[in-house]
Structure formats: C-alpha cells, structure tokens
C-alpha cells in the first residue's frame, strides 16, 4: 500500500487533456510529515500538470486535490539533490587523490554536473512520465 500525499489546488486551465492546477503552500505544510521531500514546501505557488481522467468534468476555477505517491517525492529528491551531491563529492575525492589543485578540483566537480543535467534535459519527457499525479474533486 502506498501512502498518498494530497495537495489542495485550483484548476487554472485545461488544454489537450491536461489540467493545469495551481497549488498554494499553506499552514498545513508546517505540520506535514512529508514536507522534507516536498517540492511545494519551498515555493509559494506552483503549477502542476495532471492528465485529465476519462469521464471527468473539471473546469477552470474548480477546487481539486492533487494526489501523488509519497515514493515519488523521495525519487524527486534523489534525482534533484542526492545524486548530484554524490557526483560532486566523488569527483572531488578522486581529484584530490590525484593531487590536483583545489580550484581545478572544484571546477571539475561542478563541471561533471553538466552532462548529468544534459541527460535530464534530453530525457525530460521520459522522466516526466514517471511522475504521475492524480486529481479528484475537493469536497
């Protein structure tokens, strides 16, 4: 059983079977158990694109709940923060062991992130498919 994280939001637009939902950070974030892995916790407003479910009747201005699996939040943190930090750290250690200068090691460690984020850019549509949000009416 997967734990779902709920985000209240407002439908801002619908096009090509994709619903754009604006999510505002509110006081509930302060007491949420998942706030450490949540992207929304760090921003005031965020627009999330959600595939429109079949036989749905959402319209602009509707108050909705956007649902995501908790594991998706952990995966986002892994790809966004953990892996890049390990890349930088591992590169620094290797270059220091090779007796390279601090400036060179630091520059190269940061430069190793260029191919990492380039791969993200090239596969952004594939990666986007792995992060699936559900939507339901807010009652």
């Amino acid at each position: 059983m997967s734990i779902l994280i709920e985000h209240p939001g407002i439908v801002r637009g619908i096009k090509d079977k994709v619903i754009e939902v604006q999510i505002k950070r509110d006081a509930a974030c302060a007491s949420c158990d998942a706030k450490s892995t949540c992207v929304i916790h760090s921003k005031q407003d965020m627009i999330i694109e959600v595939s429109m479910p079949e036989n749905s009747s959402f319209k602009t201005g509707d108050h909705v709940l956007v649902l995501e699996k908790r594991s998706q939040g952990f995966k986002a943190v892994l790809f966004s923060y953990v892996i890049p930090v390990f890349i930088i750290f591992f590169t620094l250690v290797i270059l220091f062991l090779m007796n390279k200068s601090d400036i060179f090691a630091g520059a190269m460690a940061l430069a190793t992130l260029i191919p990492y984020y380039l791969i993200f850019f090239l596969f952004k549509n594939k990666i986007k498919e792995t992060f699936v949000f559900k939507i339901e009416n807010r009652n």
Side-chain angles (χ1 to χ4, degrees):
M1 183 176 131
S2 60
I3 299 171
L4 293 177
I5 300 171
E6 298 179 349
H7 302 289
I10 300 172
V11 175
R12 289 294 169 213
I14 302 171
K15 62 179 180 180
D16 300 329
K17 297 189 178 190
V18 174
I19 302 171
E20 291 182 349
V21 180
Q22 178 183 10
I23 296 176
K24 283 188 169 265
R25 189 177 93 183
D26 59 6
C29 290
S31 63
C32 180
D33 292 336
K35 73 180 175 187
S36 64
T37 62
C38 185
V39 176
I40 294 168
H41 182 69
S42 63
K43 295 185 178 182
Q44 284 295 85
D45 290 338
M46 182 177 198
I47 301 291
I48 294 180
E49 294 180 350
V50 182
S51 296
M52 186 181 304
E54 291 187 29
N55 302 324
S56 62
S57 59
F58 295 105
K59 58 187 179 298
T60 303
D62 283 353
H63 290 267
V64 295
L65 283 176
V66 176
L67 308 170
E68 69 173 311
K69 292 180 184 175
R70 187 176 190 156
S71 61
Q72 287 184 167
F74 291 124
K75 185 171 28 172
V77 169
L78 178 73
F79 288 137
S80 300
Y81 302 108
V82 176
I83 292 174
V85 166
F86 276 118
I87 290 171
I88 290 172
F89 179 75
F90 192 68
T91 304
L92 282 172
V93 168
I94 289 173
L95 291 174
F96 282 141
L97 290 175
M98 295 172 61
N99 292 323
K100 300 296 180 182
S101 72
D102 292 353
I103 294 173
F104 178 78
M108 290 308 297
L110 292 176
T112 58
L113 293 180
I114 294 170
Y116 179 76
Y117 285 112
L118 184 61
I119 291 169
F120 258 81
F121 178 75
L122 294 174
F123 292 100
K124 67 181 172 186
N125 291 331
K126 188 80 168 162
I127 293 169
K128 190 176 180 181
E129 292 173 6
T130 66
F131 291 94
V132 179
F133 295 97
K134 306 277 187 216
I135 188 170
E136 60 184 41
N137 282 323
R138 189 171 166 194
N139 298 333

